[in-house]
């Protein structure tokens, strides 16, 4: 159940203990809850401070949207695929499997040498129309078309990952899953930053308590331009993940011939959707949150050493049909690098085939909240379908 925090124009419904949330994040939440366009704010248990708007916040607005409440990695999200394999089918040398995945999917700032053949991405069509719309995007990104093309099917860095996981407990104990987390790569970031810059200069945003909360309002050319680019970038992110899923499936099939795959489960967690609550049509931004409508399947990952959950939404309208997007950080990347070493990382990722060097210490499990606690805090938002634990983790 949520805690209602007063002191703003609309209540802030929190599935986190308000006393445990850093003051900077609470200040952000109060600022957004006082905006004149806001219909409601729901806060997920993985909440933490973010640029402009809080990560783990769900904001419903009438006839307006704040691009910072979407985030700069537009369409960032998750995909997961259950396979026909069990743990005993995997090779003893998981390092070789990790290497095959890394050879198939560029990580970090990497990109493909040539565009991925979209024929490998089954069930996803409309590629010609999708790329045909690129010329309508913001003029400032027109020289990025080639790069955007080559980055389809690439992972990125930070908290993005590809994993091979084993199901924990139940009748499917040891079942192998593939899972990945990524977004709209550089093109989404470039579009987001340009539109945030446009919004800041609009007269109706002049007196906001935080310039990063600047909004576009319905019926304006600026809103129309943002929505066009936003939905294109969300589509790009979904196509990027679908392409990576195809490449990782192929890498596993080359390792274990005969493997079969279920349909992918996919969900955005940095995006905008048109929805209706209390009889009011609103634009819902989920920044670090997934849709959890009644029956919706979603993915809530932990850190690179603690596992993840496949969940089914319960359709809680108080949370605007939402749930958390992951464990959520409990400390900044800078603090994690100061506090931990590669030795700590190796200890906390024991049993996982992954990078254990200083370059990913900021992703150490201890830098994140306890995923089990996060799941327990939202039993009225989702039910657990499967608990997964990674045995291979690829990071940029």
């Amino acid at each position: 159940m949520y805690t209602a925090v007063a002191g703003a124009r609309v209540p802030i419904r929190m599935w986190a203990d308000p006393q445990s949330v850093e003051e900077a994040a609470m200040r952000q939440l109060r600022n957004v809850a006082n905006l004149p366009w806001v219909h409601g704010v729901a806060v997920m248990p993985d909440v933490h401070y973010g640029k402009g708007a809080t990560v783990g916040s769900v904001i419903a607005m009438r006839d307006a949207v704040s691009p910072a409440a979407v985030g700069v990695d537009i369409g960032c999200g998750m995909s997961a695929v259950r396979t026909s394999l069990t743990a005993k089918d995997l090779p003893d040398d998981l390092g070789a499997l990790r290497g095959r995945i890394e050879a198939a999917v560029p990580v970090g700032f990497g990109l493909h040498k040539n565009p991925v053949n979209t024929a490998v991405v089954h069930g996803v069509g409309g590629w010609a129309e999708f790329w045909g719309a690129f010329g309508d995007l913001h003029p400032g990104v027109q020289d990025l078309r080639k790069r955007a093309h080559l980055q389809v099917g690439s992972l990125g860095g930070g908290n993005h990952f590809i994993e091979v996981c084993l199901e924990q407990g139940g009748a499917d104990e040891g079942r192998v899953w593939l899972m990945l987390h990524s977004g709209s790569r550089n093109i989404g970031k470039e579009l987001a930053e340009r539109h945030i810059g446009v919004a800041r200069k609009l007269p109706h945003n002049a007196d906001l308590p935080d310039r990063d909360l600047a909004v576009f309002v319905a019926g304006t050319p600026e809103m129309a331009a943002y929505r066009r680019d936003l939905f294109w970038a969300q589509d790009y992110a979904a196509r990027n993940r679908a392409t990576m899923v195809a490449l990782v499936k192929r890498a596993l099939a080359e390792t274990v011939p005969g493997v079969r795959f279920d349909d992918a489960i996919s969900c955005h967690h940095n995006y905008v959707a048109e929805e209706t609550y209390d009889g009011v049509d609103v634009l819902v931004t989920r920044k670090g949150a997934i849709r959890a409508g009644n029956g919706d399947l979603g993915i809530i990952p932990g850190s690179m050493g603690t596992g993840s959950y496949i969940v089914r939404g319960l359709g809680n309208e108080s949370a605007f049909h939402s749930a958390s997007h992951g464990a959520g950080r409990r400390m900044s990347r800078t603090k994690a690098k100061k506090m931990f070493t590669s030795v700590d990382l190796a200890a906390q990722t024991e049993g996982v085939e992954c990078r254990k060097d200083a370059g990913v210490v900021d992703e150490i499990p201890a830098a994140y909240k306890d995923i089990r606690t996060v799941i327990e805090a939202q039993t009225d938002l989702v039910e657990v379908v499967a608990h997964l634990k990674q045995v291979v983790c690829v990071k940029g």
Side-chain angles (χ1 to χ4, degrees):
M1 296 296 293
Y2 68 86
T3 299
V5 177
R9 202 182 58 80
V10 298
I12 303 170
R13 303 166 186 165
M14 299 193 66
W15 276 261
D17 177 4
Q19 301 302 316
S20 70
V21 180
E22 68 264 53
E23 179 53 36
M26 286 302 305
R27 187 164 54 249
Q28 286 183 322
L29 293 169
R30 292 190 185 96
N31 284 341
V32 77
N34 277 311
L35 294 177
W37 308 274
V38 172
H39 178 72
V41 178
V43 182
M44 301 298 103
D46 58 342
V47 60
H48 59 93
Y49 177 80
K51 182 173 175 56
T54 320
V55 178
S57 63
V58 182
I59 303 166
M61 287 193 184
R62 299 181 304 275
D63 299 321
V65 65
S66 170
V70 181
V72 294
D73 191 0
I74 299 171
C76 187
M78 301 282 304
S79 292
V81 179
R82 191 175 72 161
T83 80
S84 61
L85 305 178
T86 59
K88 63 180 175 56
D89 299 314
L90 291 176
D92 294 334
D93 182 7
L94 291 177
L97 176 56
R98 173 187 157 202
R100 184 166 265 160
I101 293 171
E102 290 174 337
V105 179
V107 302
F109 292 106
L111 61 168
H112 291 278
K113 293 181 180 178
N114 297 293
V116 175
N117 183 349
T118 56
V120 307
V121 191
H122 301 298
V124 179
W127 287 94
E129 295 80 2
F130 170 73
W131 285 114
F134 193 95
D136 297 327
L137 301 178
H138 192 288
V141 305
Q142 290 305 311
D143 61 343
L144 300 177
R145 182 186 182 110
K146 180 179 179 181
R147 176 173 177 156
H149 224 119
L150 296 175
Q151 284 192 310
V152 172
S154 66
L155 183 64
N159 62 354
H160 293 166
F161 62 79
I162 299 169
E163 290 182 342
V164 179
C165 305
L166 302 180
E167 192 163 338
Q168 306 294 295
D172 274 336
E173 170 80 30
R175 179 67 70 96
V176 175
W177 288 68
L178 303 178
M179 179 179 292
L180 60 85
H181 171 209
S182 190
S184 51
R185 305 296 286 111
N186 178 255
I187 189 65
K189 173 180 177 293
E190 293 287 343
L191 286 168
E193 290 179 344
R194 282 168 170 78
H195 284 288
I196 289 172
V198 170
R200 284 174 174 167
K201 298 175 183 177
L202 296 175
H204 61 259
N205 292 317
D207 297 325
L208 295 181
D210 183 347
R211 293 177 66 241
D212 283 329
L213 289 178
V215 306
F216 295 117
V217 295
T220 64
E222 293 86 2
M223 171 69 107
Y226 177 61
R227 285 167 62 97
R228 175 200 64 215
D229 291 4
L230 168 81
F231 292 129
W232 185 92
Q234 289 179 185
D235 192 13
Y236 181 99
R239 290 171 182 272
N240 181 42
R241 285 194 296 276
T243 303
M244 280 190 286
V245 165
L247 296 175
V248 176
K249 285 166 62 176
R250 187 164 65 183
L252 182 59
E254 290 171 350
T255 304
V256 187
V259 58
R260 299 182 307 280
F261 302 95
D262 289 354
D263 291 338
I265 300 167
S266 296
C267 57
H268 290 317
H269 55 227
N270 280 19
Y271 76 113
V272 176
E274 299 171 341
E275 298 176 4
T276 302
Y277 297 96
D278 308 314
V280 179
D281 294 335
V282 290
L283 288 168
V284 178
T285 56
R286 295 183 174 95
K287 181 178 182 180
I290 61 172
R291 178 172 169 81
N294 190 31
D296 288 343
L297 288 175
I299 307 162
I300 303 179
S303 64
M304 61 188 289
T306 58
S308 303
Y309 290 85
I310 307 296
V311 298
R312 183 181 291 110
L314 298 178
N316 190 322
E317 289 211 4
S318 296
F320 302 108
H321 291 178
S322 303
S324 74
H325 82 312
R329 295 193 72 90
R330 58 185 291 264
M331 67 179 67
S332 69
R333 295 183 182 278
T334 299
K335 184 175 180 180
K337 289 178 180 178
K338 290 180 179 178
M339 184 172 292
F340 300 105
T341 67
S342 56
V343 174
D344 299 318
L345 178 63
Q348 292 184 30
T349 58
E350 183 178 1
V352 181
E353 172 57 47
C354 64
R355 286 180 60 183
K356 302 178 190 286
D357 58 89
V360 290
V361 165
D362 56 339
E363 283 293 297
I364 193 169
Y368 285 84
K369 298 177 183 179
D370 179 8
I371 184 62
R372 293 167 298 181
T373 302
V374 169
I375 293 294
E376 290 166 1
Q378 52 188 324
T379 54
D380 58 336
L381 306 183
V382 294
E383 60 182 359
V384 172
V385 174
H387 176 207
L388 311 180
K389 177 69 174 68
Q390 66 273 77
V391 291
V392 176
C393 178
V394 172
K395 297 191 74 71

